[in-house]
Amino acid sequence: MAKIKTISIQNFKFFAKRTTIRLDGKHLLLYGENGSGKSSIYWSIYTLLEAANKTATLNKYFDKTNDENLLNINLNQAEADTPESEITLNLDDSSIHKLSLSDTAILGSVPLQESNWASDFINYRHLLNISYFNHSQEIDLFPYFRYTILPYVKYSTTSIYKNGTAISTINANEITEYVINEIGPPQSAVDKNGNYHYPKKSSADYQHFQRAYNSSEKGLNDLLRYINTEGNPILKDELGYEIVFKLSLESNSFKLTKKTYTRPSFKVILTIPSYQRHTGKIKKAQSFLNEAKLTAIALAIRLAVLKKTLSTNSDALLKIMVLDDLMISLDMSNREKVLDLLMNKYRHSYQILLMTHDRSFFEDAKFHIGSGYDNNDDRDKEWQLLEMYQAKSKDGYLIPYITKHQSSIQKAFYYFNEHLDYNACGNNLRSALEEYFFKFLPINYQPPVNNRVLGAFIEKAIEYFDYIGFNKDSLTKLKRYKSRSLNPTSHYNPKSNFYKKELEDIFEIHEALNRLSNKPLVHTNEVISFTIVTEEGDNYTYNFKLLNDICIYD
């Protein structure tokens, strides 16, 4: 499987002049502040891969005369030296895939078509679609399927007419759009006056259209059965919800007379047969289930589809999973579960591009990802961590600024050794220590959420070190330094030698603390089972779900 080395974007959405994002074949974790162009990266990759299944009508996105163009609004598109809108993916197999108004060679590219089917693009709007229903409405997800799922699904080979020519296709979206269009089968029959009209049921053209409709209906029915079978275990076992959902197809065939055509209709109805083992209780899921539960159902549906597309596109050139603010409507426990899925299940099959505007989630994801490796160097061999901000061009308009993520301790070293700003160094050291304690201390030794500051962390760490028998000397010294070198208001002279010596000591304390080991042996929420056999030969099995990690300390 090839992976993306670089993404180059020019004159497309928020990107004006050419910007190249280096992934070097790694997964991506990207923090992007609102308005920085994060979603433009999402849409650029989506647009390029979608182009493989499109016709020349895709040109509208790059054509300055078209109202639907996605050109950068800050560039004067009428000027001769304005760069052409262009998206380029450079893969680690040395292949280059480019899309622009003048270069549409990827249209119809079979390797990229397979890559598009094998990949998935999910953002929070997709998942929230399931919540946008009034109490009186039934939850019909067919519009959602039509635009966000069927483009990635294959049906059995079906003959359809495209631009007046019969073609064979397996693209579920193409087949569906053909049968639900307002035109119907070709008006190939001719009356005695030479006027064309719709064909009779016995004609080849009618039978051709009927077969296409049957293929579409059967393909969608088969897909829904697959999602029901595979999606419910995902919802229960991997996302942790005692909810059973069911997707059912309601369809009405097309109607045809000599002069009129009534197109077919499809509905994909979502119901909840069981909730926390109560059957038949929920009649209106959108009014009973909260947003987090509905989002979890939508995510289980998407992951079931992903399982199907991966099995049918295992040899695709490129398999990527692009997630833009996916976690925005999930609660913290479910964010952890999704991160577990990404790390344990999907990172080996896909190149993951995980993007968020939520700084706290970025830090949580960074910590979660890091826990899967022995150290940050091993993590950095597989993951690219980037940050994205708004900046101003020399012409005064906003442009994206992308930089490598640096940890607080890296920034502290920079301000101590290279940029000589001890105030900034102290601030970043303080953040690095808070981050250390947050990761190191068990949940029952964490300060309250509204008081997770260094002083509170130190007090809790002293209690914890007492409990496990660690030496507390470094904590005692750190407590003394906290109000001086780690207190930003105390740095009247940022280059004072007094503070420099204390900062050196704090670096040493940070290093010493990081040498302490508390590697998890058994993780939180894992179930431990043991069986006791009595003298009478009776077996008693006990199951415990851990509220905290069982760790090895050193």
Side-chain angles (χ1 to χ4, degrees):
M1 180 182 82
K3 294 183 178 178
I4 299 171
K5 279 182 65 178
T6 62
I7 307 163
S8 293
I9 309 170
Q10 173 178 275
N11 193 3
F12 182 83
K13 292 179 74 70
F14 192 62
F15 289 79
K17 303 298 174 65
R18 181 181 300 279
T19 303
T20 298
I21 303 140
R22 298 200 65 86
L23 301 186
D24 294 322
K26 302 175 186 178
H27 304 296
L28 171 67
L29 174 62
L30 171 68
Y31 165 74
E33 67 177 355
N34 278 329
S36 64
K38 166 181 60 69
S39 294
S40 296
I41 298 174
Y42 174 100
W43 287 112
S44 66
I45 304 171
Y46 174 85
T47 301
L48 187 143
L49 287 186
E50 277 288 300
N53 290 318
K54 299 288 186 180
T55 64
T57 55
L58 194 78
N59 288 352
K60 64 186 179 182
Y61 298 137
F62 302 93
D63 183 356
K64 65 184 178 184
T65 65
N66 194 300
D67 290 342
E68 294 184 49
N69 76 68
L70 297 176
L71 306 181
N72 182 267
I73 61 172
N74 294 308
L75 296 179
N76 185 344
Q77 303 297 334
E79 291 183 356
D81 61 348
T82 297
E84 183 178 37
S85 182
E86 181 185 291
I87 305 164
T88 304
L89 293 185
N90 191 326
L91 307 187
D92 62 4
D93 66 352
S94 300
S95 63
I96 299 173
H97 306 276
K98 183 187 295 185
L99 178 64
S100 67
L101 189 62
S102 64
D103 189 344
T104 56
I106 66 171
L107 270 63
S109 163
V110 174
L112 286 187
Q113 285 179 347
E114 295 288 341
S115 297
N116 191 39
W117 283 321
S119 301
D120 206 356
F121 295 80
I122 309 176
N123 63 34
Y124 71 95
R125 292 187 184 91
H126 290 163
L127 298 184
L128 288 176
N129 272 327
I130 201 170
S131 305
Y132 298 152
F133 292 91
N134 296 327
H135 176 73
S136 60
Q137 294 177 304
E138 59 185 0
I139 300 181
D140 174 17
L141 297 181
F142 179 69
Y144 171 71
F145 270 65
R146 183 179 178 186
Y147 294 111
T148 67
I149 290 179
L150 294 186
Y152 306 102
V153 173
K154 293 178 181 178
Y155 286 168
S156 58
T157 302
T158 303
S159 177
I160 65 172
Y161 280 101
K162 193 169 185 178
N163 300 323
T165 303
I167 65 165
S168 293
T169 181
I170 56 174
N171 187 322
N173 187 251
E174 271 192 329
I175 298 167
T176 303
E177 292 304 309
Y178 173 66
V179 300
I180 66 172
N181 70 63
E182 298 181 1
I183 300 172
Q187 297 188 36
S188 54
V190 184
D191 64 18
K192 62 182 180 180
N193 297 318
N195 298 316
Y196 287 92
H197 59 81
Y198 288 113
K200 296 179 180 179
K201 288 187 178 181
S202 58
S203 70
D205 280 339
Y206 184 96
Q207 296 299 323
H208 179 270
F209 192 79
Q210 181 71 58
R211 284 192 296 272
Y213 170 78
N214 291 345
S215 175
S216 180
E217 183 184 45
K218 181 181 183 303
L220 186 51
N221 238 329
D222 290 346
L223 175 63
L224 298 185
R225 278 197 294 270
Y226 183 91
I227 293 172
N228 290 334
T229 301
E230 300 294 336
N232 276 296
I234 292 173
L235 183 61
K236 180 182 178 182
D237 301 333
E238 298 180 355
L239 298 179
Y241 285 99
E242 282 283 350
I243 301 173
V244 176
F245 69 85
K246 183 179 180 182
L247 298 176
S248 306
L249 177 63
E250 294 182 5
S251 58
N252 290 304
S253 184
F254 64 94
K255 294 181 174 61
L256 199 65
T257 68
K258 189 174 182 179
K259 294 184 178 180
T260 64
Y261 164 72
T262 304
R263 64 179 178 171
S265 64
F266 295 117
K267 289 183 178 181
V268 175
I269 303 300
L270 171 69
T271 55
I272 308 297
S274 175
Y275 176 73
Q276 295 181 346
R277 301 183 183 179
H278 298 289
T279 59
K281 296 285 187 179
I282 298 181
K283 305 301 181 184
K284 297 289 183 179
Q286 67 271 40
S287 299
F288 188 86
L289 302 180
N290 63 22
E291 189 176 275
K293 292 183 175 70
L294 289 170
T295 300
I297 293 170
L299 185 57
I301 291 170
R302 289 302 290 259
L303 295 179
V305 173
L306 201 59
K307 182 176 180 178
K308 181 176 179 62
T309 57
L310 184 61
S311 67
T312 56
N313 301 283
S314 57
D315 296 327
L317 170 69
L318 183 67
K319 294 191 276 286
I320 58 173
M321 184 186 289
V322 189
L323 310 171
D324 184 13
D325 276 329
L326 171 66
M327 317 294 185
I328 200 169
S329 57
L330 293 176
D331 56 29
M332 286 305 299
S333 64
N334 285 297
R335 291 182 180 190
E336 290 290 311
K337 291 169 186 172
V338 173
L339 287 170
D340 278 338
L341 281 173
L342 294 178
M343 282 297 295
N344 300 327
K345 187 173 182 179
Y346 295 115
R347 74 180 169 104
H348 303 295
S349 303
Y350 294 90
Q351 185 177 10
I352 297 170
L353 279 64
L354 179 59
M355 303 184 285
T356 181
H357 78 279
D358 185 333
R359 187 79 206 194
S360 64
F361 173 71
F362 175 85
E363 294 296 333
D364 288 343
K366 182 182 72 171
F367 169 65
H368 202 96
I369 290 167
S371 66
Y373 301 90
D374 289 336
N375 51 61
N376 286 347
D377 288 340
D378 287 346
R379 178 201 67 191
D380 293 342
K381 291 175 184 176
E382 289 194 16
W383 286 85
Q384 186 78 289
L385 274 59
L386 299 177
E387 299 184 16
M388 195 168 181
Y389 301 94
Q390 287 186 1
K392 279 193 175 181
S393 72
K394 62 181 181 180
D395 297 316
Y397 56 79
L398 293 175
I399 58 172
Y401 173 72
I402 303 171
T403 183
K404 274 199 168 188
H405 168 73
Q406 286 188 307
S407 66
S408 296
I409 194 65
Q410 287 172 321
K411 293 176 184 176
F413 275 118
Y414 169 75
Y415 286 115
F416 186 80
N417 292 313
E418 297 181 41
H419 196 63
L420 292 193
D421 185 339
Y422 296 155
N423 187 21
C425 175
N427 288 340
N428 281 285
L429 264 176
R430 184 185 186 99
S431 296
L433 287 160
E434 289 170 344
E435 182 179 349
Y436 166 80
F437 288 123
F438 176 73
K439 292 177 181 178
F440 189 85
L441 296 177
I443 191 167
N444 51 317
Y445 281 91
Q446 293 280 344
V449 174
N450 61 355
N451 190 37
R452 287 184 175 169
V453 294
L454 185 57
F457 274 120
I458 293 172
E459 295 299 335
K460 287 292 185 179
I462 290 171
E463 291 179 31
Y464 184 54
F465 279 33
D466 260 337
Y467 173 68
I468 60 177
F470 278 0
N471 188 299
K472 304 192 301 291
D473 289 350
S474 59
L475 298 179
T476 304
K477 188 183 287 187
L478 194 59
K479 187 176 181 180
R480 191 166 65 247
Y481 288 158
K482 177 187 71 71
S483 59
R484 294 202 301 265
S485 295
L486 298 176
N487 180 1
T489 60
S490 69
H491 288 207
Y492 178 74
N493 179 0
K495 296 183 182 180
S496 160
N497 286 330
F498 176 73
Y499 289 119
K500 179 180 179 181
K501 179 61 176 70
E502 285 198 357
L503 291 172
E504 286 176 340
D505 289 347
I506 296 168
F507 276 117
E508 290 179 7
I509 291 171
H510 182 269
E511 186 178 349
L513 289 171
N514 275 274
R515 285 197 294 268
L516 299 176
S517 173
N518 66 341
K519 289 190 176 180
L521 181 64
V522 187
H523 291 276
T524 304
N525 290 325
E526 288 189 12
V527 175
I528 297 177
S529 298
F530 65 89
T531 301
I532 295 175
V533 182
T534 67
E535 292 179 355
E536 292 78 17
D538 295 325
N539 290 347
Y540 294 90
T541 299
Y542 297 87
N543 297 319
F544 295 89
K545 180 179 281 190
L546 295 182
L547 297 177
N548 213 331
D549 294 341
I550 295 177
C551 298
I552 298 175
Y553 298 96
D554 183 15

